[in-house]
Amino acid sequence: MRRALSWLLPVLLLVGASAPAGARVEVVQFDDPERQALYQEMIRELRCLVCQNQNLADSDADLARDLRRRTRELVEEGKDRDEVVEYMVSRYGEFVLYRPRLTAGTIFLWFSPVVLFLFLVWWVIRWRRQASRAETGYSANELRRARELLQEDGNQPREDSPR
Amino acid sequence: MTRFLLPLAVFAGLVALLWRGLDLDPREIPSNLIDKPAPAFSAPQLHEPGAQIGPADMAGRVWLLNVWASWCVACREEHGVISAMAKEVDIIGLNYKDKRADAIGWLEHWGNPYLASAHDLSGDIGIDYGVYGVPETFVIDQQGRIRYKHIGPVSPDQAKDTLMPIVNSLRSVVN
C-alpha cells in the first residue's frame, strides 16, 4: 500500500502540473493503479490534432475530449500500451505520437541530430588543423622533416627556431 | 575560394529546406487510411433515424464521404462546390457531432447535396476515419477502399483538378 502511494503521489502531482489553469479536463479514476498510470501516460503521449502543440491531457478541444474518452475505453478494455498506440496511429497517423516510432520514414528524424553533430565535430577538427598549419605556414610533416634535416647536419635547432 | 564552398552549400541546403516548408500546411496530416478499406459503420440516417446507412450500402460504386456539421463555418464555404460535385458523383454525408434538428435546418437552408447523411452524434465514426478538422472529404472506390482524403473545405479548383479526376480514373479502372 505504501509502495503504491509512493509513486501515486508523483503521478498525481504530474497530472496536476500538466493541467493548466482553466482547462476543463475531467478526472478519470481507475480501480487498478497500473491502468491509471497507463491512461495518464497515454493522454500525455498522444497529440491533440486540432491544437497540434498540446497533448490530450492539456487540451480543452472537443476532439481531445473524445480521444481521451476513447483512450479510457481502450484502457478499460485491457488494451496495453502498444495496442492503444496502434489504434491511434492507424487512424491519425504517426503525427498523433509526440515521440514518433522508429520506422523507415522517421529514421532521418531520429538520427539527423547525431549525424549533424558528428559532421560538426569533423568540421571543427579539420578547421583547427588548418589553423595550426596557418600559424607557421608549414604542415606538421614538413616541420618534422625540417628538424630531421637539421639534425643530420649535426646542427642543433636554435632556441628561436620553430618547434 | 573552396573554403567558402561547404558553408555556402550548407546554407543553400537550409534555404531550400525552409523554403519548401513555407508551402507546407502543418494542418495537413497524411492519413494512414489511404488504400485501406473504409472503416465499416452503420449509423442512423439524419432524416430517417429508423433507417441505417453505411459504406456497405455503396459497394460497387465510386463515392464521396463528406464530413460536415451545421456548426462548421468552413462547411458553408465548400457547400457550393460539394453541391456541384453531387451532380456527377454520389456523396454520402457524415454529419459529425451535430444536433439532428440543427443539421436538418442547415440542409433546408443551404440545400441538401447528399444521397443521405449518417448521424454521428458521439463522433465515434469520426474517430474511426481519423477526422480531426471538419470538413473532410474521402474518395472511396468500388471495393470500398479509401483512395484519397481531402482535409478542409474543397475549393472549386481542387474539385476540378484533383477530386473529380480521381473519381473519374477510379471509374474507368473497372469499366
Side-chain angles (χ1 to χ4, degrees):
Chain A
M1 188 59 203
R2 275 193 63 184
R3 247 187 87 213
L5 280 179
S6 68
W7 64 261
L8 198 63
L9 184 66
V11 168
L12 288 176
L13 284 174
L14 260 177
V15 176
S18 64
R24 288 166 292 123
V25 172
E26 68 287 339
V27 177
V28 172
Q29 195 65 53
F30 290 84
D31 292 335
D32 179 0
E34 262 181 45
R35 300 273 108 196
Q36 182 81 37
L38 175 61
Y39 172 76
Q40 298 299 352
E41 184 197 341
M42 290 324 299
I43 64 172
R44 264 179 280 133
E45 180 79 6
L46 295 169
R47 188 191 299 270
C48 166
L49 291 108
V50 181
C51 20
Q52 299 213 344
N53 280 331
Q54 282 186 312
N55 57 20
L56 294 185
D58 284 347
S59 175
D60 199 21
D62 244 20
L63 180 68
R65 198 172 312 134
D66 288 351
L67 290 180
R68 277 199 303 272
R69 176 169 52 84
R70 182 50 59 91
T71 306
R72 192 193 73 216
E73 288 164 2
L74 291 170
V75 171
E76 274 169 357
E77 286 167 21
K79 299 269 194 289
D80 65 20
R81 189 183 186 286
D82 287 349
E83 285 168 327
V84 177
V85 165
E86 185 51 41
Y87 182 95
M88 292 297 174
V89 169
S90 68
R91 285 161 177 75
Y92 291 99
E94 209 65 38
F95 187 72
V96 77
L97 300 175
Y98 262 106
R99 283 183 297 159
R101 297 178 299 185
L102 191 59
T103 62
T106 59
I107 200 156
F108 175 76
L109 194 64
W110 276 101
F111 289 108
S112 57
V114 179
V115 172
L116 187 67
F117 177 75
L118 291 178
F119 172 77
L120 282 176
V121 167
W122 172 79
W123 173 254
V124 166
I125 289 173
R126 211 186 79 132
W127 176 62
R128 291 303 306 158
R129 277 217 191 111
Q130 277 181 348
S132 74
R133 180 183 178 150
E135 274 169 28
T136 58
Y138 299 101
S139 72
N141 272 338
E142 285 167 332
L143 287 175
R144 185 158 24 84
R145 179 87 186 112
R147 252 179 240 121
E148 281 166 12
L149 284 171
L150 285 168
Q151 274 162 4
E152 272 169 25
D153 287 349
N155 294 333
Q156 292 302 311
R158 290 206 324 247
E159 283 303 303
D160 60 343
S161 63
R163 282 165 198 260
Chain B
M1 189 56 212
T2 50
R3 59 191 298 220
F4 295 115
L5 270 180
L6 191 61
L8 202 66
V10 170
F11 178 72
L14 266 179
V15 167
L17 193 73
L18 297 176
W19 189 268
R20 168 110 180 81
L22 284 178
D23 279 342
L24 295 177
D25 184 353
R27 303 196 62 85
E28 292 214 355
I29 302 164
S31 174
N32 257 10
L33 291 165
I34 303 299
D35 292 337
K36 304 231 173 84
F41 65 84
S42 186
Q45 292 188 20
L46 186 64
H47 288 88
E48 292 175 62
Q52 303 273 311
I53 179 89
D57 300 316
M58 301 301 287
R61 282 192 267 183
V62 178
W63 58 289
L64 304 184
L65 181 73
N66 179 242
V67 186
W68 68 280
S70 67
W71 47 262
C72 156
V73 180
C75 297
R76 212 169 307 160
E77 194 182 311
E78 70 165 7
H79 185 267
V81 182
I82 298 293
S83 301
M85 279 198 293
K87 296 190 177 99
E88 299 171 55
V89 59
D90 294 331
I91 306 181
I92 298 291
L94 179 65
N95 181 238
Y96 178 70
K97 292 182 74 90
D98 208 353
K99 291 200 193 81
R100 189 180 294 275
D102 291 351
I104 291 174
W106 193 86
L107 290 181
E108 272 168 14
H109 188 263
W110 299 101
N112 183 0
Y114 307 110
L115 287 185
S117 279
H119 190 215
D120 180 24
L121 182 62
S122 65
D124 283 346
I125 300 172
I127 290 181
D128 279 344
Y129 278 79
V131 171
Y132 64 91
V134 192
E136 293 186 8
T137 306
F138 296 83
V139 181
I140 299 172
D141 70 10
Q142 292 95 329
Q143 284 79 40
R145 284 171 306 191
I146 294 176
R147 301 306 292 265
Y148 186 76
K149 178 186 182 182
H150 181 91
I151 295 155
V154 181
S155 73
D157 283 349
Q158 286 160 340
K160 185 164 65 76
D161 298 335
T162 309
L163 286 168
M164 286 318 295
I166 291 172
V167 167
N168 290 328
S169 74
L170 287 174
R171 279 177 177 149
S172 63
V173 167
V174 166
N175 294 341

